[in-house]
Amino acid sequence: MSFYVALKQAPAIIKPVAQKQIRRLLGSQVKGIDARAHVWERPELAHPAVGLTPAKLHQLLTGAESGNINDMLALFEDMEERDSHIFAELDKRKRSLLSLDWYIKPPSDATAAEKEQAATIQTLMHAIDDFDVVIKDALDAIGKGFSGQEINWVRDGATWYAESLEFVLPQKFVIAPDNKTIMLGNGSDDPEPLWDHAFMMHTHKAKSGYLVRGGLHRILAWPYVFKNYSVRDLAEFLEIYGLPMRLGTYPAGATESEKFTLLKAVMDIGHRAAGIIPQGMQIDFKEAAKGNSDPFESMIKWCEMSQSKAILGGTLTTQADGKSSTNALGNIHEVARLEIRDSDAKQLASTISKSLVASQMRLNYPSVHPRRYPKFEFDLSEPEDITTFSEAIPKLAGVNGMRIGVEWLHSKLNIPMAGEDEAIVSAGTTTNMSMDTAPTALTAALNARYAALAAGADPVTTERGNIAAAERGIDDATSTEAYAQNITDMSAALGQAMVDKLSSATSYDEALALLMTATPDAAVDELSANLEQYLCAAGLWGTLHSQSLPKALDDRDGDA
C-alpha cells in the first residue's frame, strides 16, 4: 500500500498532517524562501577572492567555524572559477564516477517481494532526468563539505517518483550550532529545518572533524593564495623585463605639476618610446632590467603540485615531465586514483540510499521496515586480465579437487551471464567441436580403465569391457550425421586434390606426413590438430593395453 493510498484510508484526525506533507512534496521550499528574500540578502553575489591575503583568508576560515560560512563558500566558488588547475583536477575527480555503472541491491536474504521492490526502485531511479548531472552536482561536496539538491516529486497514480533534482547554491544553507545539522537559511537569524523527503544532502568528509572543516577547499585555499602572489609577481617581472631603468631628474624649485609631468613621461616612455618633459628636466636610461622567471615559476609549480596531490593523490596526470613518468610510477598513481574514486563512490552511494532510495521506499512502500530497504551501489569491480585468465583457467580446471564456479568467473571478467534465449559464443567452429567427439570417447574409456584398476576388479573382464566401451564410443562418434557433415565440410575446405591424397593414405602417420608437406592453411592446420588428438588417444590406449592385457589373457588361457 502506497503513501497516497494510506492517506485516503487514514483517520480524519491525521489527514491534515498528511495533506500538508503532500503539499510540501509537490512544492519547493527554496523557491518559497527566495520569494520572501531581498536582493541584498543574496550572499552568493559576494567575491571575497578580490584582494585576498593570507590574513584575510585566515579570517574567512575562522569565521566559518563560528557560523558565518557564506564568505568561505563564496571564496570556494571564486577559487574554482579563477584557478583553472583546481577546476581541471576537481573535474577529473568528479567525472571518474560518471563512468561507473550503478544498481539497486536488495537487502540480504531478500524475499521475492523485496527483490521486486528493488527492481521497481531501480526503474524509478532510471526515470530521473540527467542522473549524471545529479551525481556531478552532489560531488560539489568534495570541495565545500556538503552539497544540496532539491527533489522535484511527481505522482503517477499511486506511485511517487523523483522526476528531477535541482542544485541549490550552498550559500542558501546554514549549519546548525551542533556542526552536524544542515538547515535552510531564510535571511534571518531563524533558519528553517529542511522538509522531509525534499532534499538530497550529500556531505563529504575529505578529513575528519566538524562539517564546516570537512571540505577539501580548506586545504586548497592556502596554495591558492600563494600561487596568486607568484602569478602577480611573475606578471610584474615580465612587464619590466628587458626594459632599461628610467630615471628622471627635475631642477630645484619644480612645482608638483611639473614633477607629475616628469613622472608620467618616465613611465610612458618605456612602452611608447616617446614623451615630452618641461625644459630643464632630463631622463637618464640605466642598464636594462635583468633576472629570470625561474623562482616565480617554481613557486607556481609547487602550488599546483600540492593541489594535485590533495585532489587526485598524485601529480602524474598533470605534471608529467618525461623523466619520472615511468610505467611503475603510473601503476602506483592508478592505484591511488582508484582508491580515491572508490571512496567518493561509497560516500555518495550511502547518501543516495539514505535520501532518494529511502524516500521512494517510504512513499511507495510505507509498511516496509527501513532495515529492509534496498541500497544504491556503484559497480566498483575491476575486470581481470582476460588473457591471463584464459591461459590459467583451463590449466586449473584440470587439477583434481579444483571446482571453479562459472558465476565467479563471469564476475571476475565483468562478462554478464547470457540469458536463456540468448545466443552463446563458443570457442572454435562446429567442425572442431564435433571432430573432438572421438578423443572424448576414448578418454572416457581410459578413465573407466583407471577406475577399474583402482577398485581392484578382475583385469581381463575389465579390459574386455573397456575395449567394448571404447569401440562403441568410436562407432557412435563416427556414425553420427554431424560427423559425416564435418567430413563433407572439411573436404570442401581442403580441396579435392588433398582429399584424394588423404583417401589413399593407409595409416594416420601417412596422413599426417601428407599434411606436413602441404601448403600451410587454416583448414589443414585444423584437421592436423584433430588427427593428432586421435593419434595421442589411440597411442595411450595401446600403451596401457600392451602392459596389462596380454599377460592377463595368457594367464587365463594357461589356466584353461
Side-chain angles (χ1 to χ4, degrees), residues 62-84:
T62 54
E65 297 171 14
S66 302
N68 182 18
I69 64 173
N70 288 337
D71 289 340
M72 181 187 72
L73 295 173
L75 171 64
F76 293 165
E77 292 281 353
D78 285 344
M79 287 169 54
E80 292 189 41
E81 289 182 0
R82 296 166 181 257
D83 194 320
S84 58

Side-chain angles (χ1 to χ4, degrees), residues 89 305 307-318 333 336 340:
E89 299 291 75
M305 291 181 67
Q307 293 168 345
S308 294
K309 292 175 184 177
I311 299 172
L312 298 178
T315 62
L316 194 61
T317 57
T318 52
H333 280 234
I340 293 175

Side-chain angles (χ1 to χ4, degrees), residues 448-464:
R449 156 74 173 163
Y450 280 122
L453 291 176
D458 179 68
V460 176
T461 303
T462 302
E463 287 298 337
R464 288 173 175 168

Side-chain angles (χ1 to χ4, degrees), residues 30 70 79 120 123 140 151 178 200 264 341 348 351 373 445 447 485-486 497 501 525 549:
V30 175
N70 288 337
M79 287 169 54
T120 301
T123 302
D140 191 58
I151 305 173
D178 62 0
M200 186 180 82
K264 186 174 184 302
R341 183 205 67 180
L348 180 57
T351 295
Y373 286 175
N447 290 336
Q485 184 62 41
N486 290 337
K501 290 182 180 180
D525 294 339
L549 185 58

Side-chain angles (χ1 to χ4, degrees), residues 54-120:
K56 184 179 178 181
L57 174 60
H58 174 73
Q59 181 181 1
L60 290 176
L61 298 181
T62 54
E65 297 171 14
S66 302
N68 182 18
I69 64 173
N70 288 337
D71 289 340
M72 181 187 72
L73 295 173
L75 171 64
F76 293 165
E77 292 281 353
D78 285 344
M79 287 169 54
E80 292 189 41
E81 289 182 0
R82 296 166 181 257
D83 194 320
S84 58
H85 186 78
I86 291 179
F87 172 81
E89 299 291 75
L90 275 175
D91 196 57
K92 290 179 188 176
R93 182 162 170 177
K94 294 175 183 178
R95 290 184 183 276
S96 65
L97 267 67
L98 301 183
S99 60
L100 296 176
D101 293 328
W102 57 266
Y103 57 93
I104 302 299
K105 180 180 179 181
S108 58
D109 300 325
T111 63
E114 290 173 334
K115 292 179 181 179
E116 183 179 354
Q117 292 167 7
T120 301

Side-chain angles (χ1 to χ4, degrees), residues 301-360:
K301 183 178 180 180
W302 176 86
C303 292
E304 291 187 344
M305 291 181 67
S306 298
Q307 293 168 345
S308 294
K309 292 175 184 177
I311 299 172
L312 298 178
T315 62
L316 194 61
T317 57
T318 52
Q319 303 290 342
D321 54 7
K323 299 177 182 178
S324 59
S325 307
T326 63
N327 182 63
L329 185 60
N331 293 335
I332 295 174
H333 280 234
E334 177 67 9
V335 171
R337 183 189 71 83
L338 292 178
E339 289 176 347
I340 293 175
R341 183 205 67 180
D342 292 353
S343 175
D344 293 343
K346 290 176 182 178
Q347 291 190 55
L348 180 57
S350 176
T351 295
I352 296 177
S353 297
K354 295 175 182 177
S355 55
L356 277 175
V357 174
S359 294
Q360 293 186 91

Side-chain angles (χ1 to χ4, degrees), residues 335-409:
V335 171
R337 183 189 71 83
L338 292 178
E339 289 176 347
I340 293 175
R341 183 205 67 180
D342 292 353
S343 175
D344 293 343
K346 290 176 182 178
Q347 291 190 55
L348 180 57
S350 176
T351 295
I352 296 177
S353 297
K354 295 175 182 177
S355 55
L356 277 175
V357 174
S359 294
Q360 293 186 91
M361 286 294 297
R362 178 68 182 87
L363 295 175
N364 295 303
Y365 304 100
S367 60
V368 177
H369 195 279
R371 293 184 195 172
R372 305 303 297 172
Y373 286 175
K375 303 293 184 182
F376 179 97
E377 289 191 4
F378 287 101
D379 184 5
L380 302 178
S381 60
E382 289 293 325
E384 301 289 346
D385 183 20
I386 294 182
T387 302
T388 302
F389 265 63
S390 64
E391 295 175 355
I393 292 299
K395 298 176 183 178
L396 294 175
V399 178
N400 291 333
M402 287 292 294
R403 300 181 62 188
I404 302 175
V406 175
E407 186 175 351
W408 171 84
L409 187 58

